[in-house]
């Protein structure tokens, strides 16, 4: 893969790297807050990927210019869908954080390993 092709697809490469970082964070950390941060990184990478799909080099915004027939336009649909995705992501994050607060009140920790240990001790009794 040559440098020119990498630079033309830097958005896609960046989105893949961000997704892998988020997935690694979710899989390797036992802290629930860190897992939520990893999920948010993964969501951000998906937003970057979809907005990059809608971009066309040298294209005009369909709102500002009216080009008859021959011109190319940037596709506004992925950007509009990602606005909805951002709202859903913020809602899921708020809900997840409220659940973590309830877990902390119930178990006194937000580490998954300790919660599993506490639950196994409770079930043995």
């Amino acid at each position: 893969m040559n440098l020119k092709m990498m630079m033309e697809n830097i958005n896609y490469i960046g989105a893949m790297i961000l997704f892998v970082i988020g997935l690694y964070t979710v899989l390797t950390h036992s802290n629930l807050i860190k897992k939520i941060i990893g999920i948010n990184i993964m969501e951000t990478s998906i937003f970057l990927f979809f907005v990059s799909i809608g971009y066309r080099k040298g294209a005009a915004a369909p709102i500002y210019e009216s080009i008859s027939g021959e011109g190319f336009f940037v596709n506004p649909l992925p950007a509009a869908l990602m606005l909805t995705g951002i709202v859903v992501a913020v809602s899921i994050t708020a809900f997840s954080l409220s659940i973590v607060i309830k877990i902390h009140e119930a178990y006194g920790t937000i580490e998954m390993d300790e919660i599993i240990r506490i639950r196994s001790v409770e079930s043995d009794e």
Side-chain angles (χ1 to χ4, degrees):
M1 185 177 348
N2 60 13
L3 184 61
K4 182 181 178 195
M5 192 166 113
M6 276 183 51
M7 292 309 294
E8 288 174 355
N9 297 314
I10 193 72
N11 292 345
Y12 304 115
I13 295 168
M16 287 188 294
I17 291 170
L18 276 176
F19 192 86
V20 169
I21 290 170
L23 185 63
Y24 177 79
T25 304
V26 169
L27 294 177
T28 59
H29 291 85
S30 66
N31 189 316
L32 294 175
I33 300 293
K34 290 180 182 177
K35 286 184 181 284
I36 293 171
I37 290 171
I39 291 170
N40 281 331
I41 292 171
M42 291 168 60
E43 291 168 348
T44 303
S45 72
I46 297 298
F47 300 152
L48 173 63
F49 179 73
F50 274 100
V51 170
S52 297
I53 288 173
Y55 176 74
R56 297 177 97 181
K57 188 174 183 175
I63 298 171
Y64 297 121
E65 294 182 27
S66 59
I67 300 173
S68 61
E70 297 294 322
F72 293 108
F73 293 106
V74 174
N75 189 359
L77 185 63
L81 289 174
M82 289 307 104
L83 287 175
T84 305
I86 291 169
V87 171
V88 170
V90 169
S91 301
I92 289 172
T93 302
F95 183 69
S96 300
L97 290 173
S98 67
I99 290 175
V100 168
I101 289 171
K102 292 295 183 183
I103 288 171
H104 185 267
E105 289 173 359
Y107 296 104
T109 184
I110 56 172
E111 296 291 329
M112 280 299 297
D113 299 336
E114 294 179 27
I115 293 170
I116 291 170
R117 185 183 49 79
I118 292 169
R119 287 183 57 94
S120 67
V121 169
E122 288 175 356
S123 66
D124 290 342
E125 294 175 357

